[in-house]
Amino acid sequence: MHPQEQEAAQPGEPVSPDVADAAPELPLILLSHRGPVTFGRNADGERVVSKGSGGLVTALLGLAQYLGDAVWICAAATEEDAAVAREAKRHPVRVITTPMPHVADEGEEGPDVLVDMIEIDEERQADFYGVFSNPILWFIQHGLYGLAESPVLTAAEHHAFEHGYAGVNEQMADELARLVEERDGRALVLIQDYHFYLVADSVRRRCPNVVLSHFVHIPWPGPEAWRVLPPWIRERLLRGLLGSDIVAFHTRRYARNFLLCVQDLLGLDVDPDEMTISVDDRTVRVRHYPISVDPAALIALADSQEVHRSTDELSDRFLNSGNRLILRVDRTDPSKNVVRGFLAFGTLLDQHPELVGRVSFLALLQPSRKDVPEYSDYISNIGATVADINARHTREGQQPIDLQLVEDFPFAVAAYCVCDVLVVNALADGMNLVAKEFSVVNRRDGVLALSETTGAWEELGQDAVTLYPFDVQQQADALYEALMMSADERHRRLEAIRAQVVGSDIQRWLASQLDDLRVLMR
Ligand code: F6P
């Protein structure tokens, strides 16, 4: 199928590109694991605040100005967050969301959101986040288990589900229900991601007049993948989601897989044409809305002095004498397939020795979930692979791979601007915003080398060079194709990708959801 055909209109109301027109008529309550801000202490012991991490937070932050008096519930992520939560008692902290999120001073004007941080018991959080959400749910939904050996579900995992995952979900549902009741039982509740599959059902039981949407930001695989979990767990997860009015995904494929799961694993009636499920005398709609980026904000950042300084440095370092730069920007997550990406680059240099010394690979990797053993092992594996390739191909003191373990968004944007090829070879990715960010700001007619198993491929695959994530030889060949592509062809493809991203931006993502939800608010 033509990639863009899959983005055709879905059943339901037509989308509105104007988020302001679609602003909700009900008070809005958001729930996500990470919040818009997180607190810490600097070297002088003063409290400091920074933006919460992750693509989901970035996407939602830019939209706060359209959301009226929204409250955003999240987990207290640090000790200092917990201290703030205690000080604030039951009164949420007011946060100004742009240009950099910060706690509002008395009387300060600006786009804002009330942040309600929930303190979670440490042991419960470890079970909820470090055992059940990551790796179990994350690994199932990204197809990361080597099933001959893992997972091995024992009493510890059962406990992590009941005590950790279900426990934290109930704690969040209690807080949501309290806030809904404070609003006379009528509110629009937007639940985000895989951490909270049990929340919607619990809130609906207590607040039957609520309008509820649950957005799943990661892939949703078919029924067989879910058989890794015993029925009493997988059925609870599915039933929990069915407490929503709309269950939403980034792509049509994930939405279809969800329908199949409900049919096969719960035996419920589904309507594949209307994309609906009948449950307890209610209709649950299953929809897809591809998340995107804020092009204006990215262009402004790319034009900042900080980014200009970095693009100069990067150009001096990597682009002299017609040399070329391949880039990747990812969390150190096994789903990102970093190791095979480096193996492919090593293969490229082995098979095209004329490129040695002419092409560099800059990898900006943000360390992630280091308390989960699979993640720390993966970082070691990445380091060993890079050392091996650099040992084989260093020329005149110049190493072909520059691996930087950093989280520095302006620097990543500078690298997007000047690279010749962006590699996204993820094994599975709900969307992948890196591909979209790069396409908005790149200044060298860079080529997007994109895995066919990312959500972004459905929109952008036609003008990308497609990567098949398990096939290292194919990825090496695709990198060669990208590097050898004519200037005209590179220009045409990047312009097409950019037009698609700009035409379907983050505002549209929210506006389409609010349009569909508005019908249910009457
Ligand atoms: O949807 C996936 C997500 O929740 C995104 O916010 C982000 O890509 C990532 O996971 C963040 O993971 P964590 O909160 O575990 O650092």
Side-chain angles (χ1 to χ4, degrees):
M1 191 187 293
H2 184 295
Q4 282 174 351
E5 276 173 17
Q6 298 184 22
E7 286 309 318
Q10 52 187 316
E13 296 294 302
V15 297
S16 157
D18 188 346
V19 73
D21 287 349
E25 286 151 16
L26 289 177
L28 191 132
I29 309 172
L30 272 165
L31 167 64
S32 66
H33 177 241
R34 298 257 181 201
V37 285
T38 182
F39 295 87
R41 294 264 171 194
N42 66 15
D44 299 328
E46 294 157 343
R47 178 172 286 168
V48 287
V49 62
S50 55
K51 184 177 98 50
S53 62
L56 183 159
V57 165
T58 310
L60 292 175
L61 261 174
L63 296 170
Q65 56 193 303
Y66 304 107
L67 298 179
D69 291 331
V71 181
W72 188 332
I73 306 175
C74 58
T78 62
E79 272 178 32
E80 204 56 28
D81 287 353
V84 171
R86 259 172 262 141
E87 285 162 26
K89 295 221 174 58
R90 302 201 77 75
H91 299 292
V93 181
R94 191 170 153 253
V95 166
I96 304 284
T97 52
T98 53
M100 275 311 277
H102 62 276
V103 177
D105 288 329
E106 188 84 32
E108 185 178 351
E109 301 276 327
D112 62 352
V113 64
L114 293 175
V115 179
D116 183 7
M117 290 184 173
I118 306 297
E119 199 179 343
I120 297 169
D121 165 77
E122 208 175 310
E123 197 198 317
R124 176 167 277 186
Q125 170 71 11
D127 275 343
F128 158 73
Y129 183 75
V131 180
F132 198 77
S133 302
N134 311 309
I136 294 181
L137 285 178
W138 185 271
F139 272 45
I140 288 174
Q141 294 193 237
H142 289 84
L144 295 178
Y145 280 127
L147 293 180
E149 293 190 5
S150 62
V152 179
L153 303 181
T154 66
E157 284 71 27
H158 291 185
H159 178 79
F161 174 69
E162 277 306 339
H163 169 260
Y165 191 81
V168 171
N169 274 241
E170 207 43 30
Q171 197 179 345
M172 293 302 189
D174 287 347
E175 180 65 356
L176 261 172
R178 187 183 73 78
L179 291 176
V180 173
E181 276 152 18
E182 261 182 23
R183 288 154 180 76
D184 299 327
R186 293 273 293 150
L188 170 61
V189 175
L190 304 181
I191 302 170
Q192 308 297 314
D193 234 348
Y194 60 101
H195 310 89
F196 300 124
Y197 290 153
L198 305 179
V199 169
D201 180 60
S202 176
V203 173
R204 173 154 316 275
R205 285 172 198 282
R206 286 179 271 182
C207 311
N209 295 324
V210 80
V211 178
L212 260 163
S213 150
H214 191 127
F215 203 108
V216 179
H217 288 263
I218 63 176
W220 191 278
E224 291 318 312
W226 288 98
R227 291 188 194 277
V228 160
L229 294 175
W232 60 89
I233 295 184
R234 65 187 189 230
E235 287 171 13
R236 269 174 76 185
L237 297 174
L238 287 166
R239 288 258 172 209
L241 278 165
L242 293 180
S244 317
D245 294 292
I246 294 186
V247 183
F249 301 89
H250 289 311
T251 72
R252 182 184 292 270
R253 185 158 60 92
Y254 308 149
R256 284 212 188 102
N257 284 343
F258 181 72
L259 228 54
L260 280 177
C261 285
V262 168
Q263 192 174 37
D264 281 17
L265 302 175
L266 293 183
L268 291 179
D269 282 343
V270 306
D271 181 334
D273 299 321
E274 289 299 313
M275 299 292 284
T276 54
I277 300 158
S278 304
V279 56
D280 304 336
D281 299 328
R282 291 188 306 113
T283 299
V284 178
R285 293 154 173 82
V286 182
R287 297 288 180 261
H288 72 283
Y289 311 94
I291 199 167
S292 192
V293 295
D294 180 345
L298 280 167
I299 290 167
L301 180 57
D303 277 343
S304 68
Q305 280 192 352
E306 180 182 10
V307 169
H308 277 295
R309 267 196 301 278
S310 299
T311 52
D312 289 348
E313 268 170 40
L314 289 165
S315 302
D316 274 358
R317 190 151 166 233
F318 293 111
L319 301 174
N320 283 329
S321 324
N323 285 358
R324 315 287 292 280
L325 179 63
I326 298 175
L327 172 71
R328 77 173 304 142
V329 178
D330 280 305
R331 287 184 304 107
T332 51
D333 190 304
S335 69
K336 303 293 181 183
N337 206 18
V338 178
V339 170
R340 284 195 193 83
F342 285 138
L343 292 177
F345 181 63
T347 304
L348 173 80
L349 298 184
D350 292 341
Q351 296 174 352
H352 299 278
E354 71 282 6
L355 296 179
V356 176
R358 311 294 316 269
V359 179
S360 306
F361 193 149
L362 173 64
L364 304 179
L365 303 182
Q366 303 112 50
S368 181
R369 304 176 187 167
K370 283 182 288 186
D371 45 349
V372 179
E374 285 87 342
Y375 283 71
S376 42
D377 292 352
Y378 196 63
I379 296 186
S380 312
N381 202 352
I382 290 170
T385 309
V386 169
D388 180 48
I389 295 167
N390 277 343
R392 283 206 319 267
H393 292 295
T394 293
R395 292 282 180 284
E396 294 163 10
Q398 196 194 330
Q399 299 191 328
I401 300 176
D402 180 359
L403 169 64
Q404 300 190 21
L405 294 176
V406 284
E407 176 149 20
D408 181 344
F409 189 60
F411 189 65
V413 169
Y416 292 149
C417 290
V418 299
C419 70
D420 296 289
V421 180
L422 178 81
V423 175
V424 177
N425 68 327
L427 298 175
D429 210 334
M431 172 52 69
N432 194 278
L433 291 179
V434 166
K436 294 190 172 186
E437 289 162 353
F438 147 85
S439 72
V440 172
V441 297
N442 182 266
R443 298 176 189 149
R444 280 170 64 85
D445 287 335
V447 178
L448 174 60
L450 182 61
S451 162
E452 70 158 350
T453 47
T454 59
W457 191 88
E458 289 197 6
E459 283 176 90
L460 312 178
Q462 169 181 256
D463 294 298
V465 168
T466 297
L467 301 178
Y468 300 102
F470 300 96
D471 191 334
V472 167
Q473 180 62 57
Q474 187 277 335
Q475 290 174 56
D477 294 342
L479 288 179
Y480 188 72
E481 179 192 342
L483 289 167
M484 295 301 132
M485 195 178 282
S486 73
D488 283 354
E489 181 62 6
R490 282 191 278 124
H491 181 72
R492 186 196 65 70
R493 288 185 185 226
L494 184 62
E495 286 304 307
I497 290 174
R498 188 173 287 162
Q500 170 65 24
V501 172
V502 171
S504 184
D505 64 4
I506 185 67
Q507 287 200 26
R508 185 179 167 133
W509 176 70
L510 183 69
S512 340
Q513 291 175 68
L514 293 179
D515 257 5
D516 286 352
L517 287 161
R518 182 193 279 280
V519 177
L520 305 169
M521 286 187 242
R522 294 187 182 126

